């Protein structure tokens, strides 16, 4: 597997990275261990995870301590957390970010994080809390050697750019997902600017969080109905052509020399092996014709779902707040009688 220096960092990173979100549904660490061992054996040295990915950090924490720290590059995130309570999903305060970084290092058993990303900054109540609290907390952790590089992640690229412009903390890396795919190439509009700032770019989710697959996106996906329909038609077209939409999607997202790495979730060794084979085989002229046909025929125009996820989230927050307020007044009424 080809490895490249990640921007201005000193990290030599593989063309393919392991997205730890895929581990969140595993009940034990056996499959995660098999995936990581196979990845490292075949030159895939980058692993990404997050507290948001349910038990992903815990599973990796059973695997990584038994592997030499020099053999892998690990990133985790802070600011977004898994909880049954929607009001606890996001917390970008200084103290919470500090505690989150310490917890991730302890759970992963990795001594330090090569990269820590402030996770999905568009869900912060305001970007000011990211700039004035989250990033300074990450800077302090970097100064203590707990993290080597500071990153931010999110879906709206313009918000990533805004935070970089306003932050007094040096940001080393951005993680962009679903923005260099068959259905959306907006990352290309921002890539030169990121490069001018000396900021490395990690691409993630070449399958657009399940959209560009035969099974289609999960129920929680924010894609518009017309985008889902276009993807289903594209998948059927690919089957008729003797290929798969997933194969073309991965080939497309990993073939741009200006993008050093793409993160892909791999639930098992077979998926990882298939993804490695697709990349190592390269893109044939026939593949290129099909990629261009799929993009032109099914994904011409805007197929972004920007803003929809945030709107859904804040509706959930309002509903929970209204429920809490209603319960409060019911209790007040009961106690006054």
């Amino acid at each position: 597997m080809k490895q490249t220096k990640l921007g201005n960092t000193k990290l030599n990173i593989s063309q393919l990275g392991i997205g730890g979100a895929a581990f969140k549904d595993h009940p034990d660490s056996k499959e995660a261990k098999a995936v990581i061992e196979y990845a490292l054996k075949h030159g895939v040295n980058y692993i990404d995870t997050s507290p948001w990915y349910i038990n992903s950090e815990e599973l990796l924490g059973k695997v990584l301590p038994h592997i030499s720290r020099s053999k892998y590059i690990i990133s985790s995130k802070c600011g977004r957390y898994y909880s049954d309570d929607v009001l606890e999903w996001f917390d970008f305060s200084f103290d919470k970010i500090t505690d989150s970084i310490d917890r991730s290092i302890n759970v992963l058993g990795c001594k330090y994080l090569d990269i820590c990303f402030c996770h999905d900054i568009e869900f912060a109540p305001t970007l000011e809390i990211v700039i004035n609290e989250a990033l300074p907390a990450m800077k302090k952790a970097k100064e203590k050697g707990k993290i080597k590089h500071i990153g931010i992640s999110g879906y709206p690229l313009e918000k990533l750019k805004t935070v970089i412009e306003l932050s007094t903390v040096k940001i080393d890396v951005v993680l962009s997902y679903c923005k260099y795919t068959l259905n959306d190439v907006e990352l290309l509009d921002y890539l030169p600017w990121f490069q001018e700032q000396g900021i490395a770019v990690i691409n993630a989710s070449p399958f657009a969080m399940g959209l560009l697959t035969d099974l289609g996106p999960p129920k929680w996906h924010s894609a518009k109905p017309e985008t889902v329909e276009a993807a289903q038609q594209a998948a059927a077209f690919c089957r008729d052509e003797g290929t798969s939409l997933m194969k073309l999607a991965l080939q497309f997202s990993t073939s741009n020399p200006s993008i050093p790495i793409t993160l892909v979730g791999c639930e098992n060794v077979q998926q990882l092996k298939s993804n490695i084979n697709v990349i190592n085989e390269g893109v044939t002229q026939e593949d290129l014709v099909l990629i261009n046909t799929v993009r032109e025929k099914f994904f011409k125009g805007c197929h972004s779902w920007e803003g929809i996820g945030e709107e859904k989230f804040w509706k959930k927050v309002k509903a929970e707040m209204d429920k809490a307020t209603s319960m409060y007044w019911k209790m007040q009424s009961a106690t006054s009688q």
Side-chain angles (χ1 to χ4, degrees):
M1 176 65 62
K2 174 184 175 185
Q3 294 189 355
T4 310
K5 184 182 175 187
L6 181 64
N8 291 335
T9 73
K10 295 181 180 180
L11 302 174
N12 286 316
I13 208 159
S14 51
Q15 187 178 3
L16 182 73
I18 303 297
F23 296 141
K24 68 181 184 295
D25 297 321
H26 285 300
D28 59 56
S29 61
K30 291 181 180 179
E31 197 67 63
K33 181 175 184 290
V35 169
I36 298 305
E37 288 179 347
Y38 187 91
L40 295 176
K41 183 178 179 181
H42 291 82
V44 178
N45 68 344
Y46 181 75
I47 308 157
D48 175 73
T49 186
S50 169
W52 171 247
Y53 304 153
I54 310 179
N55 62 334
S56 174
E57 286 188 324
E58 284 77 5
L59 289 179
L60 288 170
K62 296 177 181 178
V63 177
L64 296 180
H66 305 289
I67 300 171
S68 170
R69 187 62 184 84
S70 63
K71 298 292 185 182
Y72 64 89
I73 295 168
I74 182 77
S75 65
S76 193
K77 305 181 183 76
C78 55
R80 186 169 192 173
Y81 310 98
Y82 178 76
S83 172
D84 292 332
D85 184 354
V86 67
L87 300 180
E88 297 179 355
W89 284 6
F90 295 94
D91 188 340
F92 296 92
S93 65
F94 187 100
D95 288 344
K96 181 64 176 180
I97 295 296
T98 301
D99 291 343
S100 177
I101 293 170
D102 288 342
R103 179 192 175 280
S104 290
I105 292 170
N106 289 333
V107 170
L108 289 166
C110 61
K111 299 181 181 178
Y112 61 89
L113 299 175
D114 292 288
I115 309 171
C116 184
F117 294 99
C118 193
H119 197 177
D120 288 345
I121 60 171
E122 68 269 26
F123 290 95
T126 67
L127 292 182
E128 281 74 13
I129 193 170
V130 174
I131 294 165
N132 297 327
E133 294 199 41
L135 289 173
M138 295 170 75
K139 180 183 178 183
K140 189 171 183 180
K142 183 178 180 181
E143 290 169 348
K144 292 182 177 181
K146 296 178 180 181
I147 62 178
K148 300 298 183 183
H149 301 91
I150 295 172
I152 55 175
S153 77
Y155 184 57
L157 290 165
E158 187 61 28
K159 289 193 176 182
L160 296 180
K161 183 173 182 284
T162 297
V163 168
I164 292 167
E165 289 175 325
L166 297 177
S167 175
T168 57
V169 175
K170 174 71 171 68
I171 295 167
D172 306 300
V173 191
V174 297
L175 193 160
S176 169
Y177 63 94
C178 300
K179 287 294 187 179
Y180 189 69
T181 59
L182 290 173
N183 62 290
D184 188 346
V185 294
E186 188 186 10
L187 181 57
L188 293 181
D189 296 334
Y190 289 81
L191 203 53
W193 187 85
F194 289 139
Q195 292 171 339
E196 287 171 5
Q197 310 309 308
I199 296 172
V201 175
I202 293 176
N203 181 41
S205 197
F207 308 129
M209 299 190 298
L211 176 72
L212 304 176
T213 65
D214 286 333
L215 293 176
K219 291 181 179 179
W220 51 259
H221 205 289
S222 296
K224 300 172 186 176
E226 56 267 32
T227 298
V228 175
E229 176 62 24
Q232 291 173 344
Q233 291 177 2
F237 170 81
C238 290
R239 288 194 296 271
D240 290 342
E241 293 293 326
T243 187
S244 73
L245 183 59
M246 288 183 70
K247 176 187 174 183
L248 298 184
L250 184 59
Q251 287 177 321
F252 178 75
S253 291
T254 58
S255 60
N256 188 322
S258 296
I259 299 174
I261 182 170
T262 296
L263 297 180
V264 185
C266 300
E267 293 182 2
N268 52 58
V269 171
Q270 188 56 45
Q271 284 185 1
L272 175 59
K273 189 182 297 185
S274 176
N275 291 336
I276 290 174
N277 288 340
V278 167
I279 293 175
N280 287 341
E281 288 169 5
V283 182
T284 66
Q285 187 60 38
E286 183 181 358
D287 292 330
L288 188 58
V289 169
L290 285 172
I291 287 169
N292 291 335
T293 300
V294 166
R295 293 191 63 218
E296 181 68 22
K297 187 172 183 178
F298 301 103
F299 298 121
K300 193 172 183 179
C302 180
H303 284 277
S304 169
W305 48 88
E306 200 162 303
I308 298 175
E310 295 102 295
E311 184 179 352
K312 287 180 179 179
F313 168 69
W314 288 112
K315 281 184 178 179
K316 287 181 180 179
V317 169
K318 184 179 185 303
E320 288 299 311
M321 295 294 287
D322 289 346
K323 187 191 300 183
T325 301
S326 176
M327 289 178 62
Y328 171 80
W329 287 115
K330 284 180 180 178
M331 292 174 61
Q332 289 295 310
S333 176
T335 55
S336 65
Q337 291 179 356

